[in-house]
Amino acid sequence: MSPSVRDLQLTPRAGVRETSSAVDSGDLEDVRLLDSYDKTDCSFGSEDVIKRIQVRVSGMTCAACSNSVEAALKAIDGVLSASVALLQNKADVAFNSSLVKDEDIKNAIEDAGFEADILPETSTVGPKLQQTLVGQFTIGGMTCAACVNSVESILRNLTGVKSAVVALATSLGKVEYDPTIISKDDIINSIEDAGFEASFVQSSEQDKIILGIVGLYSLIDAQVLEAMLSSMKGVKQFHFDQISCELEVLFDPEVLNSRSLVDGIEGGSYGKFKLHVRSPYARMVSKDVEEITTMFRLFTSSLLLSIPLFLIGVVCPHIPLIYSLLLWRCGPFLMDDWLKWALTSIIQFGIGKRFYIAAGRALKNGSTNMDVLVALGTTASYVYSVCALLYGALTGFWSPTYFETSAMLITFVLLGKYLECLAKGKTSDAIKKLVELAPATALLVVKDKGGKPIEEREIDSLLIQPGDTLKVLPGTKIPADGTVTWGSSYVNESMVTGEAVPVSKEVNASVIGGTINLHGVLHIQATKVGADTVLSQIISLVETAQMSKAPIQKFADYVASIFVPTVVSLALLTLLGWYVAGALGAYPDKWLPKNGNHFVFALMFAISVVVIACPCALGLATPTAVMVATGVGAKNGVLIKGGDALEKAQMVKHLIFDKTGTLTQGKATVTTAKVFTGMERGEFLTLVASAEVSSEHPLGKAIVEYARHFHFFDESSAATGTKDAAKEIKAGWLYDVSDFSALPGRGVQCLLHGKPILVGNRKLMEESGIDIPTQVENFVVELEESAKTGVLVAYGDELIGVLGVADPLKREASVVIEGLQKMGVRPVMVTGDNLRTARAVAKEVGIEDVRAEVMPAGKAEVVRSFQKDGSIVAMVGDGINDSPALAAADVGMAIGAGTDIAIEAADYVLMRNNLEDVITAIDLSRKTFFRIRLNYVFAMVYNVVAIPAAAGVLYPSLGIKLPPWVAGACMALSSVSVVCSSLLLRRYRRPRLTTILEIVVE
């Protein structure tokens, strides 16, 4: 018989150089990204020497950080390419060594606010070592915090694993590992050996793609596919999974990109094979659905078999004909006993075998979990019932059996698991909805060599490449982050920013992938794709936050680690106590069940104790609340990076605001220009604008814009803010300057017509020996007292004029400050501006504590000064200059992040440029931790009350006894009640702030 396609294993491409570890393990992750890259391929001329280095970058926390580093590197003249891998903390840079030195690369990264270390060069011949990978795995079967602790402990003890974090609520694990020491399959096997289910989701590899393939039906088709892949340049290794019909391909991105790979396969098969990229997030969602379906199937099966047991024990005794059949003796037992034994055995060892498998493996690994308690309780009931039957057959003394107890216990536990899966599925709706925002396809505009569109074709949105021109029709989703190159429209960005008002988009405007084009047709040029898009960054932030653990969860983890042994000990004490008490005659025999004895009576209490105890509720109290909160926050434009941030934010005492761009609009405008010499105003403005045109500071741009308007220039020349626009302005009316330099915290200086020109503050003038006349000083003071910044201009050795620059406050600033004060948070303003201007701005918004003339690095010192007494301090900023303070603060909040989700060190990313989100962030964190504390009260009170009740403490006085099946029902609903409590956070609404400005936050 010829082999079928299910027997086929595709092999690595012949001739591909592999590392020794790749040969040994056969794992795709062991093949390095640039193994087939040849440095000489990049040579552009005999005089140019192209060099490639790798730099370890420390301090990156999100995709925005990697974007910042990449942009800083690409801005260096002589850098040919730069690629930054966030999860690997590494930058790969190719550059012309005759123009750029290694230190220039390192300095550029450090200037962007990160730490950089140039890695030693590895030999281009032979195998190259690979960086550690960060892999994501789904983990099924976890029921409580004890399970999480067990899995984490096992993973962290594996050789080659650097770190591991496991989240109960998401059933996900994130593992950092060295692929040269351990493979993803080894990790999966270790998790499964511990008694759990595991599967691989994705890793930090940048050179691998997983494709779903349709059209491969036979061995011949598979051989055709193998031949195409083997002959395709850039393909390193591939593997086809016959069961899932997934093709996994490792390729060299310097030679081949993902779209070329797909086009090559589809074109080479003449359309027979159809491929689509498998999104890891979509695969995770499908696994959630599969888990819910499986648990529902198990529950319904157990229920259908338990109903006859209930009918036999309760209903049938009242139906004479049926009851007489049940009392018919068949062999040593009654038909009633045979049916109960058979039905219960199917439930116990068929449907309930998952509890035995999980409990056995947990005990094998030296841990205990909820499955151990379930297995103990049901087994005790089942074994006793079997022993009672056999004892009756041998002696004729028939004791009562409790087969239905065992069956009902398993049924109720499965019901609880099913309800828990449903509730946990609700908590992860945020990621699911974000995934659904991404469009499945895009219209690619194909152009000829001259740049003229020649055709349009539909492609998978996951195959979009940077630089692609995409057509976006009205009513469709924008497929990737990019820039409008043609057309105009309004775009609904509410799903990303939370802003309900549509945003106008014209040529050169930036757009966000996943947002909806409302009216006109747009052509956009893709700038960020894949993991670099805003939507992917949001998903990553939400996912990371949901996997993080708040410090308060350590309490639950500790309790869970000792919970099961404690419960088993209490059950044994209950059994012993009731049995000894009965033997001593401490309670009447009428309490005993019919034909029962003291041991049976005590055993039922012990089983109830084992069954009713529930560590699940404790384990779910924090993560489910954090999951819901992060989802709610994302819906409202507030991205939370972790449970630690949530816990600290609810305790904030001091909130430090940066002034420019945070409290103010960040759109400075020149309101006054006064010349103190005989120079004409137009000439004065031309001199100042010539000096400031090369400045990136908002004040400099405002001065250039004011001067341009004064000279009646067309707005379009500078509206784009591009380098070409700046050159156009300079060629038209500005003077050429030399030796330009920006002086942080002071201003700018350069040479013009051989004379120095200085534009800046008093400090710059004083350092340069420029006298400030009394009339000029009085004019500047007057500006500062009216909340304006005075910019002094000196030409040669003479101060020639002053510009007054105003940065309007955000309209909601004062009401937010008032709201924070009512919440018990003390607002503080920090700025590099002068004290008079700072005080005037602070007075306008209602802030009493002002720290002025603070250099960017000094903002962190201000933060630390408030932390000295142990207070929790939050920092709100909007730029890279604020990143040291954001990192130093207990809670960093990046406001107005917009399309690049900036701020590297922030714990909260506030998508909208609106200060009201600061109120939302703190209020949401407070409500979340109120819910967490309430969850712990539910969980603790439940166990404190339920366990004594199950042990029979209330039976002597009140006659209250919990049969084991009732205890099972209570246990099943306990964790569900905690999860439902967390789900109430989904009803969260932003605080409504209504003031004299009539601002209403919806």
Side-chain angles (χ1 to χ4, degrees):
M1 179 183 293
S2 62
S4 67
V5 68
R6 290 181 61 84
D7 301 317
L8 174 70
Q9 174 67 47
L10 296 185
T11 57
R13 176 187 167 199
V16 174
R17 184 174 58 203
E18 298 175 324
T19 65
S20 58
S21 58
V23 175
D24 293 337
S25 68
D27 194 84
L28 293 181
E29 295 163 7
D30 292 323
V31 182
R32 186 170 151 69
L33 176 76
L34 299 174
D35 275 352
S36 62
Y37 179 77
D38 190 331
K39 293 185 179 182
T40 60
D41 291 343
C42 284
S43 296
F44 293 94
S46 58
E47 296 181 0
D48 295 332
V49 179
I50 306 305
K51 185 177 180 181
R52 177 180 291 271
I53 64 171
Q54 293 178 350
V55 187
R56 180 174 295 280
V57 184
S58 303
M60 296 191 297
T61 58
C62 64
C65 304
S66 61
N67 294 342
S68 299
V69 175
E70 193 166 301
L73 292 172
K74 290 180 177 178
I76 303 174
D77 187 22
V79 169
L80 305 174
S81 67
S83 176
V84 180
L86 171 63
L87 295 178
Q88 296 175 351
N89 294 315
K90 184 186 71 174
D92 195 284
V93 189
F95 56 93
N96 188 332
S97 60
S98 64
L99 300 176
V100 183
K101 305 302 180 187
D102 292 7
E103 282 301 312
D104 297 334
I105 303 294
K106 184 174 184 293
N107 293 337
I109 296 173
E110 291 177 345
D111 289 342
F114 304 88
E115 296 178 5
D117 295 301
I118 298 174
L119 298 174
E121 290 188 37
T122 55
S123 173
T124 58
V125 180
K128 298 180 183 180
L129 298 177
Q130 184 164 358
Q131 297 283 339
T132 59
L133 295 177
V134 177
Q136 196 174 60
F137 301 82
T138 57
I139 303 172
M142 294 189 298
T143 56
C144 60
C147 302
V148 174
N149 295 340
S150 176
V151 176
E152 284 186 346
S153 176
I154 289 168
L155 290 175
R156 289 169 181 169
N157 290 330
L158 292 176
T159 304
V161 170
K162 308 295 183 183
S163 64
V165 178
V166 176
L168 174 63
T170 58
S171 297
L172 287 176
K174 184 176 287 186
V175 184
E176 182 184 0
Y177 63 100
D178 186 342
T180 63
I181 300 175
I182 188 172
S183 70
K184 66 176 186 292
D185 290 331
D186 296 330
I187 294 173
I188 291 173
N189 292 335
S190 298
I191 296 173
E192 291 178 341
D193 288 342
F196 304 92
E197 300 171 358
S199 61
F200 177 73
V201 178
Q202 62 178 342
S203 75
S204 55
E205 288 174 308
Q206 306 294 316
D207 54 353
K208 184 171 71 175
I209 188 171
I210 299 176
L211 302 165
I213 185 167
V214 178
L216 197 153
Y217 304 115
S218 66
L219 179 60
I220 295 176
D221 292 337
Q223 290 172 343
V224 170
L225 177 61
E226 182 176 5
M228 283 191 294
L229 289 168
S230 298
S231 62
M232 196 172 291
K233 243 186 175 182
V235 173
K236 292 182 174 182
Q237 195 171 4
F238 49 89
H239 169 76
F240 179 70
D241 188 323
Q242 298 93 347
I243 297 176
S244 63
C245 289
E246 288 184 347
L247 176 65
E248 191 172 323
V249 183
L250 187 74
F251 60 93
D252 186 348
E254 297 288 335
V255 179
L256 185 70
N257 60 49
S258 55
R259 189 163 74 229
S260 300
L261 174 66
V262 171
D263 290 345
I265 296 174
E266 292 184 343
S269 66
Y270 300 100
K272 178 176 177 58
F273 300 146
K274 297 295 181 184
L275 288 83
H276 57 277
V277 183
R278 290 288 175 90
S279 168
Y281 295 110
R283 294 161 73 203
M284 286 166 54
V285 170
S286 66
K287 285 185 179 295
D288 290 342
V289 174
E290 181 181 346
E291 182 182 4
I292 292 173
T293 303
T294 300
M295 202 56 64
F296 179 73
R297 177 176 53 79
L298 291 173
F299 162 66
T300 52
S301 300
S302 182
L303 179 63
L304 290 175
L305 292 174
S306 298
I307 289 175
L309 289 171
F310 174 79
L311 294 176
I312 290 172
V314 178
V315 178
C316 292
H318 301 285
I319 305 175
L321 179 61
I322 297 178
Y323 191 55
S324 62
L325 292 174
L326 293 176
L327 294 179
W328 177 49
R329 182 170 295 278
C330 183
F333 310 125
L334 300 178
M335 183 60 69
D336 171 278
D337 296 324
W338 282 115
L339 289 174
K340 287 181 179 179
W341 192 355
L343 291 172
T344 303
S345 296
I346 296 173
I347 296 173
Q348 184 79 25
F349 303 109
I351 298 171
K353 69 178 181 180
R354 65 189 305 273
F355 298 112
Y356 284 103
I357 294 172
R361 289 179 176 171
L363 292 172
K364 178 183 176 182
N365 287 283
S367 62
T368 54
N369 57 19
M370 190 64 207
D371 297 304
V372 173
L373 293 181
V374 174
L376 278 175
T378 58
T379 301
S381 178
Y382 180 85
V383 170
Y384 165 77
S385 299
V386 172
C387 291
L389 277 182
L390 296 176
Y391 182 76
L394 293 174
T395 65
F397 181 81
W398 298 95
S399 298
T401 59
Y402 295 94
F403 284 118
E404 64 278 1
T405 296
S406 176
M408 294 299 289
L409 282 177
I410 292 177
T411 301
F412 280 119
V413 170
L414 291 173
L415 171 62
K417 296 300 177 188
Y418 171 63
L419 295 176
E420 190 178 311
C421 287
L422 284 178
K424 285 164 63 177
K426 288 288 185 182
T427 63
S428 59
D429 274 353
I431 290 182
K432 294 177 184 176
K433 290 179 179 179
L434 288 169
V435 172
E436 290 169 359
L437 289 178
T441 60
L443 277 176
L444 176 67
V445 179
V446 182
K447 299 181 179 181
D448 59 17
K449 293 182 179 180
K452 182 179 179 181
I454 54 176
E455 67 168 314
E456 298 171 7
R457 69 185 183 97
E458 191 174 72
I459 63 170
D460 193 314
S461 61
L462 294 175
L463 296 177
I464 297 172
Q465 304 291 332
D468 284 347
T469 298
L470 307 168
K471 183 178 182 179
V472 187
L473 300 174
T476 62
K477 295 177 181 178
I478 294 172
D481 293 2
T483 304
V484 177
T485 58
W486 178 86
S488 63
S489 182
Y490 281 86
V491 174
N492 181 1
E493 297 182 344
S494 61
M495 60 285 299
V496 175
T497 65
E499 290 283 4
V501 180
V503 181
S504 175
K505 299 295 181 182
E506 304 285 345
V507 174
N508 294 319
S510 59
V511 291
I512 305 172
T515 57
I516 300 175
N517 179 28
L518 296 179
H519 302 299
V521 176
L522 294 175
H523 281 191
I524 69 166
Q525 185 177 44
T527 56
K528 295 180 181 178
V529 299
D532 293 332
T533 64
V534 169
L535 188 59
S536 294
Q537 292 172 26
I538 294 174
I539 293 174
S540 178
L541 285 175
V542 174
E543 183 185 60
T544 301
Q546 292 184 348
M547 288 196 66
S548 67
K549 292 186 178 182
I552 195 175
Q553 194 171 340
K554 293 179 180 177
F555 166 73
D557 292 344
Y558 171 73
V559 173
S561 66
I562 62 173
F563 191 90
V564 175
T566 302
V567 169
V568 173
S569 299
L570 289 174
L572 292 175
L573 288 174
T574 300
L575 174 64
L576 183 63
W578 278 105
Y579 180 74
V580 171
L584 296 176
Y587 55 83
D589 290 344
K590 65 179 181 180
W591 287 5
L592 301 179
K594 184 179 180 180
N595 294 332
N597 54 38
H598 295 294
F599 176 77
V600 174
F601 185 66
L603 180 63
M604 290 301 102
F605 285 117
I607 292 174
S608 294
V609 169
V610 170
V611 172
I612 204 169
C614 184
C616 303
L618 282 171
L620 292 170
T622 297
T624 53
V626 171
M627 281 189 69
V628 177
T630 52
V632 169
K635 181 181 177 182
N636 288 280
V638 178
L639 302 183
I640 307 163
K641 289 189 178 180
D644 186 32
L646 270 170
E647 183 163 351
K648 289 180 179 178
Q650 50 104 23
M651 299 185 290
V652 167
K653 295 298 182 185
H654 302 279
L655 190 64
I656 300 175
F657 288 93
D658 174 52
K659 179 176 77 71
T660 305
T662 302
L663 288 172
T664 66
Q665 296 179 12
K667 298 178 181 178
T669 55
V670 177
T671 59
T672 306
K674 188 169 184 178
V675 184
F676 290 92
T677 63
M679 184 181 294
E680 293 182 358
R681 182 189 291 263
E683 177 66 11
F684 168 73
L685 291 175
T686 302
L687 287 173
V688 180
S690 299
E692 289 283 7
V693 72
S694 299
S695 172
E696 294 295 326
H697 197 280
L699 295 184
K701 294 180 179 179
I703 291 171
V704 174
E705 185 69 11
Y706 180 80
R708 186 177 61 80
H709 278 292
F710 182 85
H711 288 287
F712 303 103
F713 264 70
D714 179 52
E715 293 187 15
S716 63
S717 62
T720 62
T722 63
K723 293 181 179 179
D724 292 339
K727 291 178 181 178
E728 184 180 344
I729 297 173
K730 184 179 288 188
W733 59 283
L734 297 178
Y735 299 129
D736 289 328
V737 300
S738 60
D739 296 335
F740 172 86
S741 61
L743 308 173
R746 289 169 290 175
V748 300
Q749 66 180 14
C750 58
L751 290 177
L752 177 61
H753 299 154
K755 297 169 66 177
I757 181 169
L758 307 174
V759 184
N761 55 21
R762 290 185 184 85
K763 185 180 293 185
L764 177 61
M765 300 301 150
E766 292 170 357
E767 291 176 354
S768 304
I770 305 296
D771 292 330
I772 303 176
T774 303
Q775 60 174 338
V776 175
E777 177 64 26
N778 293 337
F779 181 73
V780 172
V781 170
E782 185 180 338
L783 289 174
E784 292 170 347
E785 289 177 345
S786 60
K788 297 175 183 176
T789 300
V791 179
L792 291 78
V793 183
Y795 187 46
D797 56 358
E798 181 183 12
L799 198 150
I800 61 174
V802 175
L803 295 161
V805 183
D807 187 0
L809 286 167
K810 291 178 179 176
R811 66 190 185 95
E812 75 276 8
S814 59
V815 70
V816 168
I817 298 302
E818 182 182 352
L820 288 170
Q821 291 170 337
K822 290 181 178 179
M823 293 172 71
V825 179
R826 181 187 178 192
V828 180
M829 189 181 80
V830 61
T831 177
D833 212 338
N834 66 83
L835 185 58
R836 288 193 186 91
T837 302
R839 282 178 174 170
V841 172
K843 183 179 180 181
E844 194 171 343
V845 296
I847 295 179
E848 297 179 358
D849 196 339
V850 179
R851 308 298 169 95
E853 299 181 11
V854 179
M855 297 290 285
K859 294 179 182 178
E861 294 302 321
V862 174
V863 170
R864 294 188 186 99
S865 68
F866 284 100
Q867 293 173 324
K868 288 180 179 178
D869 63 351
S871 298
I872 301 297
V873 179
M875 170 71 191
V876 185
D878 71 319
I880 292 178
N881 287 341
D882 299 319
S883 57
L886 289 165
D890 298 289
V891 182
M893 297 184 183
I895 190 169
T899 57
D900 57 2
I901 314 191
I903 317 307
E904 300 82 4
D907 300 295
Y908 284 76
V909 178
L910 312 181
M911 293 294 296
R912 308 186 308 162
N913 192 15
N914 193 318
L915 286 172
E916 292 165 1
D917 289 341
V918 175
I919 295 280
T920 301
I922 295 177
D923 183 67
L924 176 59
S925 68
R926 291 183 176 181
K927 285 184 168 57
T928 300
F929 265 80
F930 169 78
R931 184 61 55 183
I932 289 173
R933 294 185 185 99
L934 196 61
N935 287 348
Y936 278 122
V937 170
F938 284 159
M940 295 299 294
V941 169
Y942 166 80
N943 283 292
V944 167
V945 173
I947 292 177
V953 171
L954 302 178
Y955 187 68
S957 58
L958 302 176
I960 297 176
K961 180 172 67 173
L962 296 179
W965 69 270
V966 174
C970 294
M971 182 276 294
L973 295 175
S974 62
S975 58
V976 176
S977 65
V978 168
V979 176
C980 290
S981 171
S982 295
L983 286 174
L984 291 176
L985 281 171
R986 288 160 59 97
R987 302 173 60 186
Y988 175 82
R989 295 293 179 269
R990 295 181 187 175
R992 298 179 65 88
L993 302 177
T994 305
T995 66
I996 55 173
L997 297 178
E998 297 183 354
I999 299 175
V1000 179
V1001 183
E1002 296 297 338

